[in-house]
Amino acid sequence: MRQTLQIVIALFPDVTHLDFTGPHQILCRLPGATVTVASLAGGEIEADGLVFARLPKLSDIQACDVLIVPGGFGTTAAMGDPDFISEIRRLADGAKYVCSVCTGSLVLGAAGLLKGKRAACHWAWRDQLALFGAIPDAARVARDGRYITGGGVTAGIDFALTMVAELAGDDVAQGIQLAVEYAPAPPFNSGRPELAPPKVLERISTLYGKAMDERVEAAKRAAERV
């Protein structure tokens, strides 16, 4: 492994910012690590109304130790972008760990990286992993060899702490958790579909359903190219 641990987070347009800012907040505190947030074109990326600027191009990054792909509504387009998928494959090829948060695992699947692998994803889109030959896992964080994947959005923080423990040990991970005061105590117990009130689940499922058919078709096309 390189003297400085190189962690790369690969962004695409319409990414969900907490998918990568959550893990970034944790991983940037990892001693000896450099975290680079990059995109295909470089420059600026808009995420949920926030603009992230001065990003390097993925093609300018020679290699990394850890590759992380977040998710978001832009996942549908990202799965079908051959240039973006090519960069993901290239960086994954030399990485010790290949990771994702939320629907970023669908991008890994579209890159042909998850065949026969157990992987996590946001609950609404998790079943689509099977289109790529992956094994959908409902866990908050799933591990299968060098692949470590987080579930939906906020699971990125759990994923990042798991990653720190893997790289530097439990004591370091616990210290970072304490430093950021990560002690979740949500006001509602509705963060998973099996826990949410039926009417809430129905409303959110309907909201996601508007984009579901489009993403399923995009996933099928991407799977055919793998």
Side-chain angles (χ1 to χ4, degrees):
M1 186 174 290
R2 303 163 189 81
Q3 187 172 4
T4 299
L5 187 77
Q6 298 292 336
I7 301 174
V8 171
I9 304 176
L11 303 190
F12 49 82
D14 294 323
V15 66
T16 294
H17 68 72
L18 189 57
D19 280 8
F20 71 91
T21 54
H24 186 280
Q25 182 66 75
I26 301 299
L27 294 169
C28 72
R29 294 171 181 247
L30 177 62
T34 296
V35 184
T36 301
V37 180
S39 66
L40 184 63
E44 296 184 352
I45 283 285
E46 184 173 347
D48 300 316
L50 300 181
V51 176
F52 296 84
R54 295 186 295 177
L55 302 178
K57 295 181 179 179
L58 288 168
S59 59
D60 291 337
I61 299 172
Q62 183 177 4
C64 63
D65 300 295
V66 180
L67 174 65
I68 303 170
V69 182
F73 287 109
T75 297
T76 302
M79 288 190 295
D81 186 334
D83 294 328
F84 183 72
I85 292 298
S86 178
E87 290 298 331
I88 295 303
R89 287 195 187 109
R90 179 182 67 82
L91 290 169
D93 185 56
K96 183 174 182 180
Y97 298 98
V98 179
C99 311
S100 65
V101 178
C102 197
T103 54
S105 56
L106 296 178
V107 175
L108 296 183
L113 299 171
L114 293 181
K115 290 182 179 179
K117 302 297 182 181
R118 188 169 296 280
C121 188
H122 187 287
W123 61 267
W125 319 95
R126 187 188 305 134
D127 290 348
Q128 294 177 23
L129 285 167
L131 294 171
F132 301 107
I135 303 167
D137 192 323
R140 186 88 167 155
V141 180
R143 171 76 184 267
D144 195 329
R146 71 183 185 124
Y147 298 93
I148 303 178
T149 52
V153 192
T154 61
I157 298 175
D158 299 60
F159 149 75
L161 289 168
T162 300
M163 195 76 253
V164 171
E166 174 74 17
L167 294 167
D170 291 356
D171 286 350
V172 174
Q174 290 177 38
I176 294 175
Q177 180 177 359
L178 176 60
V180 301
E181 199 173 351
Y182 180 55
F188 305 105
N189 191 24
S190 60
R192 294 183 66 91
E194 64 271 20
L195 301 174
K199 64 179 182 180
V200 173
L201 176 59
E202 181 180 3
R203 177 167 57 84
I204 298 302
S205 296
T206 299
L207 177 65
Y208 287 146
K210 295 177 180 178
M212 187 66 71
D213 291 344
E214 181 182 358
R215 183 167 292 176
V216 168
E217 290 305 312
K220 288 179 178 178
R221 290 193 297 271
E224 291 172 355
R225 293 191 292 269
V226 175

